Amino acid sequence: MRPQKVQDHEVLTALTKVFRAKGFEGASLKEIAQETGLKKASLYHRFPDGKKQMAEAVFNHVDEWVVTNIFKMLINEDLTPEERLGKGIKNISSLYKGGSESCILRTLSMQIGMELFGMQIQTGMKEWINHFEKLGLAFGLAKSEANKNAVQTLIEIQGSLIVSEGLADQSVFEKTLKRIKNRYQNI
Amino acid sequence: MRPQKVQDHEVLTALTKVFRAKGFEGASLKEIAQETGLKKASLYHRFPDGKKQMAEAVFNHVDEWVVTNIFKMLINEDLTPEERLGKGIKNISSLYKGGSESCILRTLSMQIGMELFGMQIQTGMKEWINHFEKLGLAFGLAKSEANKNAVQTLIEIQGSLIVSEGLADQSVFEKTLKRIKNRYQNI
DNA sequence: GTCTATACTCAGATAGAC
DNA sequence: GTCTATCTGAGTATAGAC
């Protein structure tokens, strides 16, 4: 009945921020409370199943962003294949802040355990492959080539994030995105 | 004074097993005690600085294995470049159990935080690149090409581990190793 | 060196007033 | 819906006997 002190989307933003920075176990309710501006008990009012549910909300939130800004972009028939590629890559770069932020979906799923997110991660990865495969087809690749290409693209994105972080050198990620782009353009 | 109930290397093996399976935070001292066969207090006798020190020991243990079985293999002058490549790749496969196990060094460093392992991870990655670069040179690549190739190799190894795990499909990792192998052989 | 028993800390979670 | 206050359990870590 009482008015919400903080809007849902603000809570979600704060949650995403904390989980991204600290991971699942590393993010304490205390910190989450500070960041969201809500007390612990209030958080439990909004997320009766506790911390896991909060992580789940973040997971779905990010997932939705990816669908909207990357998947749909890659198959948008209103754009030329070149345009789809360009915007898709651009949004991937922005999702990972140019390589400075790791993949939050991977982090969360690793730390919470595959019980909760395993299937969603698997489905999500298949979607990445699926959509890049469609892009490959649009560029004129045969189906099996397009698939190989898509898997390779996913591997390179994830791998370059790891290496960028490890070396503390974002240029690794940037170069990888360029490499991916070139591979499609040179078909 | 009293004889060790469990040998150091056995403790190390057990520690590695637990940390690999559960990660740093996920591995409780209770479980570590069960797995090693030592009580908690005894563990603290051997590792006065506690859990972090245990993780450190595991980290160094794995690191040493990599140096011996992969790095040294890649630059072993008693072997032809083809042989170095073959044995190196084979040992990489065995390190990650054919793609079924994730990179424990990455897991540990992520969860403990970069304060403790950040520099070692960075140094370690540079060594990976450094040694694959030397392999590329041995295959006749120019220095800058050899370097690009080495970075790409590291990216693909790490990325394919992620994707293999996510899709629950080890063949992704296997195929990537083959791809890497072919790339060197076709120079 | 190893053990039993215990201390300490802090996390996640809940009760109930407002 | 939000809050203060509290509970409960698990985790790391220690003390001190053997």
Coordinates of all heavy atoms in Angstrom, one line a residue, chain B residues 26 41 53 67 75 80 113 179:
Chain B
G26 N 33.2 -21.3 -2.4 CA 32.4 -22.5 -2.3 C 33.0 -23.7 -1.6 O 32.3 -24.6 -1.1
A41 N 42.0 -27.9 12.5 CA 43.1 -27.4 13.3 C 44.4 -27.8 12.7 O 45.4 -27.0 12.7 CB 43.0 -27.8 14.7
Q53 N 46.0 -19.2 2.0 CA 47.3 -19.8 1.8 C 47.1 -21.2 1.1 O 47.9 -21.6 0.3 CB 48.0 -20.0 3.1 CG 49.5 -20.4 2.9 CD 50.2 -20.5 4.3 OE1 49.6 -20.2 5.3 NE2 51.4 -20.9 4.2
V67 N 54.1 -25.0 -16.3 CA 55.4 -24.6 -16.8 C 56.2 -25.9 -17.3 O 56.7 -25.9 -18.3 CB 56.3 -24.0 -15.6 CG1 57.7 -23.9 -16.0 CG2 55.7 -22.6 -15.3
I75 N 58.9 -25.2 -26.1 CA 60.2 -24.6 -26.5 C 61.4 -25.6 -26.4 O 62.5 -25.3 -26.5 CB 60.6 -23.4 -25.7 CG1 60.7 -23.8 -24.2 CG2 59.6 -22.3 -25.9 CD1 61.3 -22.7 -23.3
T80 N 61.2 -31.5 -32.7 CA 60.9 -30.7 -33.9 C 59.7 -29.8 -33.5 O 59.0 -30.1 -32.6 CB 60.5 -31.5 -35.1 OG1 59.2 -32.2 -34.7 CG2 61.5 -32.6 -35.4
G113 N 40.0 -12.5 -5.7 CA 40.2 -11.1 -6.0 C 41.6 -10.9 -6.6 O 42.5 -11.6 -6.3
R179 N 41.9 -26.9 -34.4 CA 42.0 -25.7 -35.2 C 43.3 -25.0 -35.0 O 44.0 -24.6 -35.9 CB 40.8 -24.8 -34.9 CG 41.0 -23.4 -35.5 CD 40.0 -22.5 -34.9 NE 38.6 -22.7 -35.3 CZ 38.0 -22.0 -36.3 NH1 38.7 -21.1 -36.9 NH2 36.8 -22.3 -36.7

